[in-house]
Each structure stands twice: as C-alpha cells, then as structure tokens.
Amino acid sequence: LQCANDFELAGKFELSFLSHMGYFYSYFASGLPLNSLLESKFLAVEDFSRRTNKISLSVTFQMQRQFACNLRKVTKFPTELNGEAFNEREVLETLDDNIKVQTLRDSSSHRLQLAYIFGDEECMLSMLGILASYPFTDALAPRLHNRLCFVGLGSFSMGRTRNDDSLMELG
C-alpha cells in the first residue's frame, strides 16, 4: 500500500488505483483474514476513486468488497454479487460497452471463485462459459493469476465431473 500512497501523493492516480487493486487481489490470494480492517481499506479507496471521478474504478473496488462480504457473511446466494457493496446486474446495466466487458470479466472471475469455494456447479459452468472468451492476458498480474487459477481449477473439476473434454482443454 505504500506504493499506492506514494503514487497518490505524486498525483499519479491511475498508478495508485492499480497498486490498490493489485494489493487487494494479492490479499485475497494470500488467504489472510477478511476483517474490518480490510473493509475500511476498501471504503477509503472507493471514496478516493469517487472523489477523483474514477467511477469505473470505484465499481471495481465495490465488487471486490462484495466478494469479501460473500466470503465472510452467510447469505442465501453466496455466488451472486448482490449485496450491501455491489449489485452486479444493476451496475452492468449502467456501463458503456468497453467498461461493461471489463467489469463482466472481473465479476465473472469473482463469481467463479465463489462458485468453486461454495460448490455451486451451475454457477461455475456459467462463469467458465463467460470467461472462456477472454484472452489469458492482463496488465495486472495478481488479477490475472486469480482468474487463471480458478478457471483452471473450475475447468478441471467440472471437466472430470461432467466428462467434458472441452472443459479439460480450457483448464
């Protein structure tokens, strides 16, 4: 986070936001506790992104915060990004095409992770169907790592369960 703060002080807001995003993706991958301290960091970055008129980035941080909420709190539908921080359907309806494509990639990646964790095979198959069309590249290495990790895990898991060679190949 020091890097993000340094970029912010230098007025390099895009680099600051990318640093924050990398931090949160790395935090999720590390298995550290999802506690109120993390929540407060999300809220601070969301506020900063709104104040600097970076609404699409604010959406990304809200999505990540909802992902953490789904992992921490018992809900009826833990694989849906629909809660106190983020509503996937509502947000996607408001975005222009380019940002919508990127947001769908990120929300589908988070939902795939939740589906794998909570054993929701139908959601896993649906998210794999969406994510299969995206290139296996990304400027943000931690985001790419999380996405590819769960695309591989989900594809192999569902490919074996369903005896589906196309899923095995995707994995």
Side-chain angles (χ1 to χ4, degrees):
L1 287 178
Q2 184 61 49
C3 183
N5 292 336
D6 291 346
F7 283 132
E8 182 180 340
L9 289 172
K12 306 283 186 185
F13 297 136
E14 292 290 329
L15 293 173
S16 177
F17 288 122
L18 287 173
S19 297
H20 278 103
M21 284 174 41
Y23 170 80
F24 290 125
Y25 278 108
S26 298
Y27 193 97
F28 290 139
S30 71
L32 292 169
L34 303 174
N35 54 30
S36 59
L37 181 60
L38 181 66
E39 177 89 4
S40 67
K41 289 177 184 177
F42 274 124
L43 291 170
V45 175
E46 285 174 36
D47 180 57
F48 176 52
S49 61
R50 278 190 295 275
R51 285 186 288 112
T52 55
N53 206 27
K54 302 293 185 187
I55 303 305
S56 64
L57 291 169
S58 179
V59 165
T60 298
F61 296 119
Q62 291 168 353
M63 181 191 317
Q64 289 180 320
R65 185 162 57 95
Q66 187 61 52
F67 174 74
C69 287
N70 285 25
L71 290 170
R72 281 192 353 251
K73 300 176 181 177
V74 177
T75 65
K76 188 172 182 178
F77 302 105
T79 60
E80 292 183 11
L81 294 175
N82 180 16
E84 61 193 63
F86 181 79
N87 183 314
E88 180 182 25
R89 282 186 208 103
E90 287 179 7
V91 168
L92 288 174
E93 288 174 2
T94 66
L95 300 175
D96 66 42
D97 288 342
N98 186 42
I99 294 172
K100 181 186 267 185
V101 168
Q102 294 173 21
T103 303
L104 181 62
R105 175 203 58 208
D106 294 344
S107 66
S108 298
S109 178
H110 285 304
R111 290 189 64 203
L112 175 60
Q113 292 175 60
L114 292 167
Y116 189 83
I117 291 165
F118 292 109
D120 184 341
E121 293 183 358
E122 293 308 312
C123 181
M124 204 178 320
L125 289 169
S126 177
M127 296 306 106
L128 287 169
I130 292 169
L131 292 169
S133 65
Y134 286 90
F136 293 144
T137 60
D138 195 319
L140 193 60
R143 179 173 57 196
L144 176 65
H145 176 268
N146 285 359
R147 179 165 49 103
L148 294 183
C149 178
F150 280 92
V151 165
L153 288 169
S155 295
F156 286 133
S157 175
M158 291 291 87
R160 277 188 266 152
T161 300
R162 308 244 171 170
N163 198 25
D164 186 328
D165 290 339
S166 65
L167 287 171
M168 295 298 286
E169 185 177 325
L170 176 62

